[in-house]
């Protein structure tokens, strides 16, 4: 759902690119182009193992900034300005009345929305068989996907629950599958599940079928072998990562709160920098509560290695904001970068090897066109980095969850 309801852009259909966003007017650097809610989202399953605590519906952190930084540094940390700058309000937190601590929410509103969208079908309190199947499914997925995760099987399960509770949801889902050609499905599933676990897709399908019913008239097309692979392909290609952090939000709020007190702000910035250094040393780079979701407008935005906008989560929950990072002229395509900062700065050859492997396309953006005559070589430094960043090489050490 588009929360901003503005006319800054339109959705066009390019014969080569498919759907794309085009600016209807000049959009200036720093402007929020739109904000939207996901159709469905889910936390990653390893969050609980690592003691991340966030709303199961909107991913708002449920721990305070002090609790967040204390857990990640493994030291008792006291932060200044917590009353003014920490947004966590524990007085509003609520547990599911059926499964209790298994499903925690930041507010009664999120609890009710979760129940209406999917949780009335997925609450483990409904039956011991359902609880066992959900646990079996989550355990298998975690064994397939060591952290850092890129998707959650519960995103797929919630999609099916939403379809069951509201069959018109199928129409919204079709826009995500419309840009996936049949030949891409197996490749996308392979990317999502990896070489070593490709054969376990059938086991996942069987468990998901037991959670619902393989004979359900509405869900049956999605529980066949091809239908299940299509859903995996949708979340593999269109799943947008979401990250929230009580400590990071406290730091941002301090900047605003102390904007007129530069001397005190400088002290806070020094404290924040030292704590982020300690976080990196103790807990690595996976500092956020993480998940993924399906967003209608975001899924229409094409990639560029030199993008003019970026996705961010300014409200520290699942609301996606698209912000312009340079002036976008009327008629110009709005783009984002599918690569992280490290990959974005690599050679054209390296970027396109990664994009072709993970997103199944060769980039033709202006940056790639400017570098088209560069030699098609990958530097030794980049190759070494690729080996070090490959999660399959060292799955067990991918995240410190102690």
């Amino acid at each position: 759902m588009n929360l901003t309801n503005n006319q800054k852009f339109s959705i066009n259909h390019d014969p080569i690119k498919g759907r794309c966003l085009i600016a209807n007017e000049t959009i200036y650097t720093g402007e929020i182009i739109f904000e939207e809610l996901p159709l469905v989202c889910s936390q990653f399953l390893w969050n609980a193992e690592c003691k991340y605590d966030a709303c199961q519906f909107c991913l708002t952190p449920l721990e305070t900034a002090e609790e967040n930084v204390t857990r990640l540094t493994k030291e008792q940390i006291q932060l200044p300005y917590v009353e003014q700058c920490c947004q966590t309000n524990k007085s509003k937190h609520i547990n599911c009345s059926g499964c209790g601590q298994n499903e925690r929410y930041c507010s009664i509103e999120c609890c009710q929305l979760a129940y209406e969208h999917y949780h009335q079908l997925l609450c483990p309190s409904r039956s011991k068989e359902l609880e066992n199947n959900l646990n079996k499914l989550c355990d298998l997925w975690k064994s397939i996907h060591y952290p850092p995760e890129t998707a959650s099987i519960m995103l797929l399960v919630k999609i099916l629950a939403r379809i069951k509770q509201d069959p018109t949801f199928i129409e919204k889902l079709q826009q995500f599958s419309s840009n996936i050609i049949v030949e891409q499905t197996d490749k996308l599933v392979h990317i999502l599940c990896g070489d070593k676990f490709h054969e376990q897709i059938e086991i996942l399908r069987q468990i998901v079928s037991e959670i619902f019913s393989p004979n359900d008239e509405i869900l049956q097309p999605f529980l066949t072998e091809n239908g299940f692979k299509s859903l995996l392909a949708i979340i593999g290609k269109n799943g947008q990562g979401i990250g929230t952090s009580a400590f990071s939000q406290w730091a941002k709020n301090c900047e605003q709160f102390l904007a007129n007190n530069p001397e005190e702000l400088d002290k806070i910035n020094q404290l924040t920098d030292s704590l982020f250094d300690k976080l990196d040393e103790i807990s690595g780079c996976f500092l956020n509560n993480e998940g993924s979701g399906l967003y209608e407008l975001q899924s229409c935005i094409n990639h560029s290695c030199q993008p003019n906008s970026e996705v961010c989560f300014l409200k520290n929950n699942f609301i996606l904001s698209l912000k312009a990072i340079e002036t976008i002229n009327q008629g110009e395509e709005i783009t984002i970068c599918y690569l992280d900062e490290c990959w974005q700065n690599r050679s054209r050859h390296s970027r396109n090897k990664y994009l072709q492997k993970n997103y199944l396309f060769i980039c033709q953006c202006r940056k790639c066109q400017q570098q088209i005559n560069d030699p098609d070589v990958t530097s030794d430094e980049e190759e070494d980095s690729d080996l070090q960043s490959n999660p399959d090489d060292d799955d067990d050490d991918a995240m410190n969850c102690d």
Side-chain angles (χ1 to χ4, degrees), residues 164-193:
K164 179 63 178 174
Q165 294 185 201
D166 178 13
T168 63
F169 189 74
I170 295 175
E171 297 175 12
K172 293 184 178 294
L173 199 61
Q174 286 172 342
Q175 68 176 303
F176 296 99
S177 59
S178 63
N179 63 343
I180 301 175
I181 60 177
V182 175
E183 292 77 9
Q184 288 182 330
T185 300
D186 279 349
K187 292 181 180 178
L188 289 166
V189 172
H190 193 182
I191 292 167
L192 183 66
C193 295

Side-chain angles (χ1 to χ4, degrees), residues 92-351:
K92 291 186 175 183
H93 296 177
I94 186 172
N95 297 343
C96 169
S97 58
C99 54
Q101 289 286 337
N102 289 335
E103 290 281 320
R104 285 166 41 77
Y105 304 96
C106 66
S107 66
I108 191 169
E109 291 80 10
C110 277
C111 184
Q112 290 171 340
L113 286 169
Y115 185 81
E116 292 168 8
H117 285 178
Y118 52 81
H119 194 59
Q120 61 180 297
L121 288 179
L122 300 177
C123 183
S125 65
R126 290 185 63 212
S127 72
K128 194 65 179 176
E129 181 183 10
L130 174 61
E131 182 180 13
N132 289 338
N133 283 328
L134 285 169
N135 288 337
K136 206 167 31 169
L137 181 69
C138 292
D139 287 343
L140 177 58
W141 187 261
K142 283 192 293 184
S143 74
I144 293 173
H145 284 276
Y146 292 98
E149 296 169 80
T150 55
S152 170
I153 193 65
M154 286 306 297
L155 187 61
L156 183 150
V157 171
K158 288 179 179 180
I159 288 170
L160 291 172
R162 287 214 64 178
I163 292 172
K164 179 63 178 174
Q165 294 185 201
D166 178 13
T168 63
F169 189 74
I170 295 175
E171 297 175 12
K172 293 184 178 294
L173 199 61
Q174 286 172 342
Q175 68 176 303
F176 296 99
S177 59
S178 63
N179 63 343
I180 301 175
I181 60 177
V182 175
E183 292 77 9
Q184 288 182 330
T185 300
D186 279 349
K187 292 181 180 178
L188 289 166
V189 172
H190 193 182
I191 292 167
L192 183 66
C193 295
D195 291 331
K196 292 187 287 187
F197 308 104
H198 194 62
E199 68 276 6
Q200 295 186 338
I201 294 170
E202 178 59 22
I203 304 174
L204 290 170
R205 186 185 71 83
Q206 290 173 3
I207 300 173
V208 171
S209 296
E210 291 170 5
I211 289 172
F212 298 99
S213 169
N215 300 318
D216 187 289
E217 185 177 344
I218 296 172
L219 297 184
Q220 195 276 333
F222 301 99
L223 297 174
T224 64
E225 180 181 350
N226 289 335
F228 189 74
K229 283 184 177 180
S230 295
L231 285 180
L232 284 172
I234 285 173
I235 66 174
K237 181 171 184 178
N238 297 286
Q240 165 65 50
I242 305 167
T244 61
S245 164
F247 174 62
S248 293
Q249 192 65 33
W250 167 86
K252 291 177 183 176
N253 290 343
C254 280
E255 288 185 12
Q256 297 178 2
F257 182 70
L258 298 171
N260 296 323
N261 189 345
E263 185 175 338
E264 183 64 16
L265 179 58
D266 184 59
K267 292 179 184 177
I268 293 298
N269 286 337
Q270 290 180 38
L271 171 64
T272 302
D273 289 344
S274 67
L275 287 173
F276 272 121
D277 288 342
K278 187 170 291 186
L279 290 173
D280 185 59
E281 177 187 347
I282 302 298
S283 295
C285 57
F286 306 109
L287 305 179
N288 296 333
N289 178 79
E290 296 183 345
S292 63
L294 294 182
Y295 293 84
E296 292 180 272
L297 291 177
Q298 178 274 340
S299 70
C300 299
I301 311 173
N302 285 317
H303 163 83
S304 171
C305 297
Q306 192 173 340
N308 52 30
S309 65
E310 65 178 5
V311 166
C312 44
F313 294 88
L314 302 175
K315 301 186 187 302
N316 208 31
N317 58 17
F318 64 3
I319 296 176
L320 181 150
S321 301
L322 185 72
K323 182 171 72 172
I325 56 176
E326 63 180 47
T327 297
I328 306 170
N329 296 317
Q330 182 178 2
E332 187 178 349
E333 182 178 1
I334 298 169
T335 59
I336 57 176
C337 187
Y338 297 175
L339 307 171
D340 64 24
E341 187 176 356
C342 176
W343 275 101
Q344 193 175 346
N345 291 325
R346 293 186 178 182
S347 67
R348 172 183 174 273
H349 179 66
S350 295
R351 295 195 308 271

